[in-house]
Amino acid sequence: METRIVCVDEKNIDKEVIREAGEIVKAGGLVAFPTETVYGLGGDALNPASSRKIYEAKGRPSDNPLIVHIAKVEALSAIVKRVPEEAVKLAQAFWPGPLTMILEKSDLVPAETTGGLETVAVRMPSHRTALAFIEAAGGYVAAPSANRSGRPSPTAARYVAQDLDGRIEMILDGGDVELGLESTIVDLTAGTPVILRPGYITRQMLADILGRVEEDVTILRDDSGQAPKAPGMKYRHYAPKGELTIIAGPKQAVAEYINRQLEGCRREGKKTGVIASDATIGVYQADVCKNAGDPLDESALAKRLYRILREFDDEDVEIIYSESFAGAGVGQAVMNRLLKAAGHRVIELK
Ligand code: TXA
Ligand code: MG
């Protein structure tokens, strides 16, 4: 299949292109599109055959449910059993935006879309191209991140093409995304709301609206012995091809340790990479050094992380060391993704 890549300017949306993209989805095809978080791979959420195609194109296990994207809040009630008070409040506060809510699904949503679960994930993105496309596609677009399973989520159309060219009908190219990490997922089906995946909407922001909010224990650890509640979080994710290790501890000790390791890799003839920050980018002797920016600017980190991981792949880096970027807000989401990319390989220095 030939994949058409078409540029769409969010500020001046080409209605004809959006109409065509909508028609493709209505006919059961797949279209990748930009959102404010990452690019999504969209199909008709109410058509079981479309969801099967999404799994196939991504190479994704079909027990891993998809997020249903809507373009207006009123669309929610048809796909869920009921809209709890908390969902109304969260929608008022954060939709359109990078928040996904898990609710009980209605019969309208096929089991294929929810990976066989009785619950459905719903999000209303804020990207204007995404909203126009969802509307044109019939109002309910199932969309996982538009990467092949196991690869970092795409933050630009060229990364979608790298992974999915020839497997889908169309890519709407809206340039670089704004945020760079996937939406926060909050489960509203279990009594106290639980965060299943951290993101731009932080625990504190949710707590300000809802009062009590809990966190799935598997978010920053892998030793809890429990399976994550979001099925997708259990798979090795966001993985670069090279072996990534996070080195945490005092700056000086981290720099010395990483440089010693790099020395060893060089002797073995391995190509090396480092994820450093503004203050440390000059100190490493790696083949490829990437600057994640100012560690206190968590949003900038979030925006760069997946691109950096993909660039290491493009340059065939074999061994990667990263400084630690633990933070309280969006930094938690960054660390959650970095830990997954590293398969939880962390060395803590004193
Ligand atoms: O920002 C985002 O959320 C992006 C853009 C495209 O909107 N989408 C995205 O989708 O990240 P995906 O499929 O890559 O991740 C969805 C996550 C998976 O970990 C999945 O297991 C979880 O949401 N999920 C979906 N439905 C669920 C449900 N009913 N219960 C629990 N977890 C669910
Ligand atoms: Mg994904």
Side-chain angles (χ1 to χ4, degrees), residues 35-37 67-70 95 97-100 121-125 183:
T35 82
E36 70 279 22
T37 58
I67 296 175
V68 178
H69 293 66
I70 56 177
W95 276 4
L99 179 72
T100 296
V122 191
R123 162 163 129 80
M124 179 176 166
S183 61

Side-chain angles (χ1 to χ4, degrees), residues 292-314:
D294 174 357
L296 296 178
D297 186 351
E298 297 178 357
S299 309
L301 281 173
K303 192 164 174 166
R304 285 180 197 174
L305 179 64
Y306 287 151
R307 197 187 67 214
I308 288 175
L309 294 178
R310 278 182 179 263
E311 285 171 355
F312 283 132
D313 283 356
D314 293 344

Side-chain angles (χ1 to χ4, degrees), residues 318-330:
E318 298 169 84
I319 303 285
I320 307 162
Y321 292 98
S322 177
E323 296 176 357
S324 174
F325 298 98
V330 183

Side-chain angles (χ1 to χ4, degrees), residues 58 60 144-147 151 153 182 197 237-238:
K58 270 187 73 96
R60 173 174 180 157
S145 48
N147 50 284
R151 298 264 289 150
S153 295
E182 308 87 345
R197 178 172 74 182
H237 243 195
Y238 320 115

